[in-house]
Amino acid sequence: MGVDCGGDRPRYENFEMPKHGYEQMDDGTGAIGGGGGGGGYADEGPESPMSYEDYERPPLRHIDKYVKAECPCFSTIRYTIALMTCLGFIISFGMRCNMGMAKLKSEVSVFNWTVGVESAVDSSFFWGYLVTQVPGGFLASKFPANQIFGTAIACSSFLNLLVPGATMLHPAFIILVRMLQGLVEGVTYPACHGIWRFWAPPLERSRLATMAFSGSYAGVVIGMPMSGILSGWISWQAAFYFYGVMGMIWYTAWLWLAFEKPRTHPAITIQEIKYIEKSLGETNPCTTMPTISSTPWHEFVRSMPVYAIIVANFCRSWNFYLLVLYQSAYLKHSFDFRIEETGILGALPHLIMTIIVPFGGILADRLRKSGTLSTTNVRKLFNCGGFGMEGIFFLVVAHAKTATGAITALTIGVACSGFAISGYNVNHLDIAPRYASILMGLSNGIGTIAGLICPITIDYITKDKPKECWSTVFTIAATVHLIGITFYGIFASGELQPWAEPIVEEKKVWTPTSAGMIKETTFNDPTQEISTTKSVTYGAVEHVAGNPFAYPSTIAEEPVQPEARDSYLHGGVDERTY
């Protein structure tokens, strides 16, 4: 770097950094823009060359040299991953609709399944799904969560290809295959939280998570008519083969587009890495992930915010399985709709909910970012408001005398419940991002128990009087929500819990030189050591001093400029570093 000693101020030569892949660091293009809805990066001001030194990524793969590893409609990688996760859930939940539509075809009746065998086939998926919820959280902590999620969808898709053959052999084989599908899919929700542990900035958690989770509801909306069309037009096996093949194609794209962390992505811009890591406060590359022994189980048991999430998940699961399993039966028995009509009308509430879920996530993040409401109040407002409105409209359904009134109330109630996903379903990342995947597995596992109890209860209620007893069924559903919103409204929290803080050893910043020092390139001394006070915060919005996301302010990195020395004023060059 040259210095002109003849003037009052030093003149610097243009500083050029090596470019990584698609990176163009000196053209100023780092805005989020596009369809990601993220706005511009907060630290778009002038950058010091020092600020890029630590951002090293893997080299581009062969395919990356021709096609950038991102969705063309988004200019940021994190929204590409959210879209791919959404598509994964669409395939996962779409596969769950295949068996129900296949059983409606006359060809299946040749197997002469008894009621007991049919019930075993229907519930076998949940036997496996329940078992791997909590273990899935630990798998997502021990191994890269993106690999866990992708492998689970791929394995379930492969097993879906085996369902027609297993059905032709013996009911025991179909039960085994569906139980294995449940085992592998049980890790998907915990793994999804493990992905956002590294990819979701605190003030974008709601929109990214809800964008991904909306795929589970879109999967039902698409899966029911798609399975029916394929079964009716081709054969009952067609839906299983279609979804199995689509799952394998999705997995190929997932391997190309999804990575564990921003720094492991070969094509991500440095501006996006900085935005994510600065907002999360993640500065230690050697952070250890929780294990069974290091997980604070006693704190889980004593934490009321954890119980609030579990209760909300149980209540949501009860009403979700009620609608998925018995909505068509309610319309048929109460208002004498044909089977074809119940399928179309039954998909309408879930279609509107699919739209509401990501919209609610965007609204929740805006309220938090603007400072209008705290994270705690946002979670309580969306969760209790969404479930409360659904409970009220369920009471309307319970006493509806006309089909139009019942369908209207059902549609509005289910649509309102979409806002609740921005409450309890994202809350794990607020109170304990370090253990979010484990907590998600725990709460979703208990929620699955509701899916096992709910059918037994409803079958018992509607056994003798299938038409008159639906009022009781929906009254119970409204009561379940009333209990859930009361408990959540009292005990829920959006603040980082004290037991979720990283241990002391992990707060020490890794450095190849000495504690508290990192190497950065200066203008004329490549080994200058600059003191730092960085620490791991895991993206908490509150309780962490110095976190730029603790308040609704933007991140602005001050440009680092060399300080002129007195020696320059005398025409000399100081040999010290700046």
Side-chain angles (χ1 to χ4, degrees):
M1 179 122 356
V3 178
D4 184 5
C5 300
D8 291 338
R9 296 180 60 85
R11 179 176 59 84
Y12 305 103
E13 297 177 358
N14 292 331
F15 190 98
E16 184 175 357
M17 290 292 295
K19 296 179 174 59
H20 294 270
Y22 304 95
E23 191 63 55
Q24 304 291 332
M25 288 181 289
D26 53 352
D27 65 0
T29 60
I32 295 177
Y41 289 121
D43 52 350
E44 290 176 340
E47 295 286 353
S48 161
M50 303 178 191
S51 60
Y52 295 108
E53 180 66 18
D54 283 344
Y55 293 90
E56 296 183 358
R57 291 160 297 167
L60 293 176
R61 299 163 298 181
H62 184 70
I63 189 174
D64 297 327
K65 298 177 182 179
Y66 303 97
V67 183
K68 190 173 183 179
E70 68 175 11
C71 178
C73 53
F74 297 123
S75 60
T76 54
I77 300 298
R78 60 188 182 278
Y79 283 93
T80 297
I81 293 179
L83 176 62
M84 290 299 298
T85 306
C86 176
L87 293 176
F89 278 123
I90 289 177
I91 294 173
S92 172
F93 279 77
M95 288 188 290
R96 303 183 193 185
C97 302
N98 296 162
M99 182 58 68
M101 301 306 297
K103 289 191 300 182
L104 296 178
K105 295 294 293 180
S106 59
E107 292 89 342
V108 181
S109 63
V110 301
F111 299 108
N112 296 320
W113 286 350
T114 64
V115 175
V117 171
E118 186 173 347
S119 298
V121 171
D122 291 337
S123 62
S124 57
F125 177 89
F126 294 100
W127 300 348
Y129 192 74
L130 174 63
V131 170
T132 52
Q133 290 293 321
V134 176
F138 285 102
L139 286 174
S141 297
K142 185 176 181 58
F143 302 101
N146 64 302
Q147 296 181 14
I148 298 296
F149 183 85
T151 303
I153 301 296
C155 291
S156 183
S157 300
F158 175 76
L159 290 169
N160 213 53
L161 296 173
L162 304 180
V163 170
T167 306
M168 298 294 292
L169 295 175
H170 191 274
F173 290 99
I174 183 62
I175 291 174
L176 176 61
V177 171
R178 286 182 57 79
M179 185 173 65
L180 291 175
Q181 278 188 298
L183 282 171
V184 297
E185 287 195 30
V187 305
T188 52
Y189 267 93
C192 186
H193 268 46
I195 291 172
W196 300 131
R197 152 75 177 82
F198 293 108
W199 279 96
L203 293 182
E204 293 184 28
R205 284 172 180 163
S206 301
R207 70 184 72 181
L208 288 170
T210 52
M211 181 178 178
F213 291 141
S214 64
S216 58
Y217 308 106
V220 175
V221 174
I222 298 173
M224 293 182 67
M226 180 65 71
S227 299
I229 292 173
L230 292 173
S231 299
W233 290 3
I234 304 177
S235 69
W236 66 268
Q237 300 101 324
F240 295 98
Y241 293 132
F242 173 79
Y243 272 94
V245 172
M246 292 302 297
M248 302 306 293
I249 295 175
W250 171 89
Y251 182 56
T252 302
W254 179 260
L255 292 176
W256 173 40
L257 296 171
F259 289 81
E260 179 188 11
K261 303 177 183 179
R263 288 202 182 207
T264 60
H265 200 293
I268 190 173
T269 63
I270 286 180
Q271 285 86 353
E272 185 173 4
I273 296 178
K274 289 182 61 182
Y275 175 71
I276 295 174
E277 292 191 352
K278 287 173 65 177
S279 65
L280 291 174
E282 189 68 53
T283 58
N284 187 358
C286 299
T287 301
T288 59
M289 300 303 292
T291 62
I292 295 179
S293 59
S294 65
T295 299
W297 297 107
H298 291 95
E299 284 72 14
F300 285 2
V301 174
R302 295 195 296 262
S303 176
M304 296 310 296
V306 171
Y307 283 113
I309 296 174
I310 292 175
V311 170
N313 202 321
F314 182 92
C315 296
R316 175 57 192 159
S317 298
W318 180 283
N319 287 289
F320 177 75
Y321 289 116
L322 163 65
L323 296 172
V324 171
L325 299 175
Y326 294 97
Q327 183 173 278
S328 297
Y330 162 70
L331 296 175
K332 182 178 183 297
H333 294 153
S334 298
F335 303 106
D336 299 321
F337 279 100
R338 297 195 305 271
I339 295 178
E340 295 81 2
E341 294 173 333
T342 61
I344 296 174
L345 294 174
L348 179 61
H350 297 282
L351 174 62
I352 299 178
M353 183 180 180
T354 303
I355 301 173
I356 292 293
V357 167
F359 172 76
I362 295 173
L363 181 60
D365 281 340
R366 288 190 176 182
L367 289 174
R368 297 171 63 218
K369 187 175 183 179
S370 65
T372 305
L373 295 173
S374 66
T375 301
T376 298
N377 290 332
V378 167
R379 300 303 180 215
K380 289 183 177 181
L381 173 65
F382 278 70
N383 194 86
C384 297
F387 284 168
M389 293 299 295
E390 186 178 38
I392 292 174
F393 281 101
F394 274 4
L395 290 176
V396 176
V397 173
H399 298 88
K401 301 300 182 182
T402 64
T404 302
I407 294 172
T408 301
L410 197 63
T411 301
I412 297 176
V414 174
C416 290
S417 70
F419 288 102
I421 307 303
S422 298
Y424 81 96
N425 223 14
V426 189
N427 206 183
H428 314 74
L429 291 164
D430 298 322
I431 67 172
R434 174 180 172 85
Y435 306 104
S437 59
I438 299 173
L439 287 176
M440 185 62 188
L442 181 63
S443 65
N444 209 40
I446 296 177
T448 304
I449 296 176
L452 296 174
I453 299 176
C454 177
I456 298 174
T457 304
I458 296 177
D459 286 340
Y460 178 78
I461 294 175
T462 60
K463 181 179 179 180
D464 298 324
K465 298 179 180 180
K467 187 170 185 177
E468 294 81 1
C469 293
W470 286 107
S471 176
T472 303
V473 170
F474 281 97
T475 301
I476 292 175
T479 304
V480 168
H481 266 340
L482 176 63
I483 296 173
I485 62 176
T486 302
F487 194 92
Y488 193 89
I490 296 174
F491 297 110
S493 173
E495 300 178 357
L496 179 70
Q497 300 301 295
W499 47 264
E501 291 275 8
I503 58 178
V504 177
E505 289 76 7
E506 293 178 2
K507 291 186 178 182
K508 297 178 181 178
V509 180
W510 176 86
T511 173
T513 54
S514 59
M517 310 291 286
I518 61 173
K519 283 189 175 181
E520 290 189 356
T521 301
T522 61
F523 293 99
N524 63 358
D525 188 349
T527 61
Q528 179 186 12
E529 294 179 348
I530 301 177
S531 178
T532 64
T533 57
K534 299 178 181 179
S535 62
V536 179
T537 66
Y538 290 92
V541 178
E542 299 174 325
H543 289 316
V544 181
N547 189 339
F549 273 72
Y551 302 97
S553 59
T554 59
I555 302 174
E557 179 179 319
E558 297 182 359
V560 180
Q561 297 292 341
E563 182 179 350
R565 304 293 185 184
D566 293 340
S567 57
Y568 289 119
L569 300 178
H570 295 84
V573 179
D574 195 334
E575 297 296 334
R576 296 173 296 174
T577 59
Y578 302 101

